[in-house]
Amino acid sequence: MTVIRSLTFNVAFYANLIVQMIVWTPFYFLAPRHLAWFVPKFWSRTSLWLYNAIAGTRSEIAGVENLPEGSFILAPKHQSFWDTIAFFPYLRDPLYILKRELTWIPFFGWYILKMRMIPVDRGSRSKALKSVIRLTKAELARNPRQLIIYPEGTRRAPGDDPAYKWGIVELYTELGLPVVPVAHVAGLYWPRRKFLRYPGTIKARFLEPIPTGLSKEEFMRRLVSATEQAVDDLLVEAASAPDAPPLPETARKRLERLGVELPSSVPA
């Protein structure tokens, strides 16, 4: 049944994307940018609705009161495609840093360009970071926006050892903005590189903002500590739930290190 529901959801997910891009195109490209944001946010909400209706996976996001007014940096844990679409409906004017190649895709790339995202070439990392900082500063000078950056760069399996990159430290220092960490274990339910979608409840949490003005080392320590502690709490909660999803080996090893004994009913 999980296979059938997963396959059905994947078909519905991409059909929803294609149909909405076509249907909303006149409004999206003729409307002012602040009104056009309705379209991708509506797509996100309908995608998560389909995820619940078809795959049986609910999404619960707590801590909205921790989101500051104006500009800030949102720093989510990166485990799944879910965390690329679930958070921006909560932001007034989100700003993504993304591969330049994505802007070349017909329709999808045009949608990206409309929202003035930050495209980068992944050549020299130092040059790319300097370009990102310069373009982001220019964009934030025009409008108060919320920069979404994944501190670990690429998706990692639930329970895997953290691998935070230094890029977010440079952005924090150069932009002078508070950083809101985001914890979740969505990779248990919407795994990376797999088409299976497991039922249950994905719980995510916007954590308390890390204020500006900290040293680079202190900022990184607080970011990793706050995020990983909250992720561990959510992992334990998910593994202990009556409808616990299958746990990858990385998650099982992490739970062992935390001293959590898993019931035999928890699937592998």
Side-chain angles (χ1 to χ4, degrees), residues 48-255:
L48 295 181
W49 182 87
L50 288 170
Y51 191 24
N52 182 22
I54 299 173
T57 313
R58 298 178 62 239
S59 300
E60 291 185 1
I61 301 177
V64 176
E65 67 278 3
N66 289 323
L67 298 178
E69 295 292 331
S71 295
F72 60 89
I73 300 172
L74 194 76
K77 190 74 175 174
H78 198 15
Q79 293 185 353
S80 167
F81 189 80
W82 180 90
D83 59 59
T84 66
I85 67 172
F87 303 129
F88 65 78
Y90 294 85
L91 308 177
R92 181 178 175 276
D93 193 2
L95 176 64
Y96 280 88
I97 298 169
L98 42 78
K99 294 185 293 185
R100 185 177 300 277
E101 290 81 0
L102 293 176
T103 65
W104 302 342
I105 302 174
F107 275 102
F108 185 77
W110 305 337
Y111 268 69
I112 290 173
L113 292 172
K114 166 79 174 185
M115 289 305 170
R116 298 204 305 266
M117 301 304 177
I118 306 294
V120 295
D121 293 315
R122 291 194 172 182
S124 167
R125 288 189 177 181
S126 60
K127 289 183 178 179
L129 182 58
K130 290 179 181 178
S131 174
V132 164
I133 291 172
R134 176 177 55 80
L135 293 172
T136 304
K137 282 183 175 180
E139 186 58 38
L140 294 178
R142 299 172 65 180
N143 292 287
R145 302 187 66 177
Q146 300 78 46
L147 176 64
I148 302 177
I149 184 78
Y150 298 92
E152 293 176 284
T154 58
R155 291 174 295 172
R156 299 183 65 76
D160 206 354
D161 292 334
Y164 288 69
K165 305 295 190 296
W166 197 251
I168 188 158
V169 179
E170 296 297 334
L171 286 166
Y172 166 79
T173 303
E174 293 290 333
L175 299 178
L177 297 176
V179 173
V180 178
V182 188
H184 66 85
V185 284
L188 295 177
Y189 303 89
W190 187 325
R192 59 179 187 161
R193 302 169 191 161
K194 292 182 180 179
F195 87 95
L196 291 175
R197 307 288 178 258
Y198 298 108
T201 302
I202 298 176
K203 294 186 178 182
R205 191 177 304 149
F206 297 123
L207 306 179
E208 290 187 8
I210 300 174
T212 60
L214 301 178
S215 68
K216 293 181 178 182
E217 293 74 16
E218 176 63 12
F219 164 74
M220 180 63 97
R221 185 194 68 77
R222 290 182 59 168
L223 174 65
V224 175
S225 175
T227 305
E228 295 304 314
Q229 178 62 60
V231 167
D232 283 344
D233 292 344
L234 292 173
L235 177 60
V236 172
E237 184 178 352
S240 305
D243 56 349
L247 298 179
E249 188 63 23
T250 51
R252 288 180 171 271
K253 288 182 177 179
R254 180 60 185 164
L255 290 167

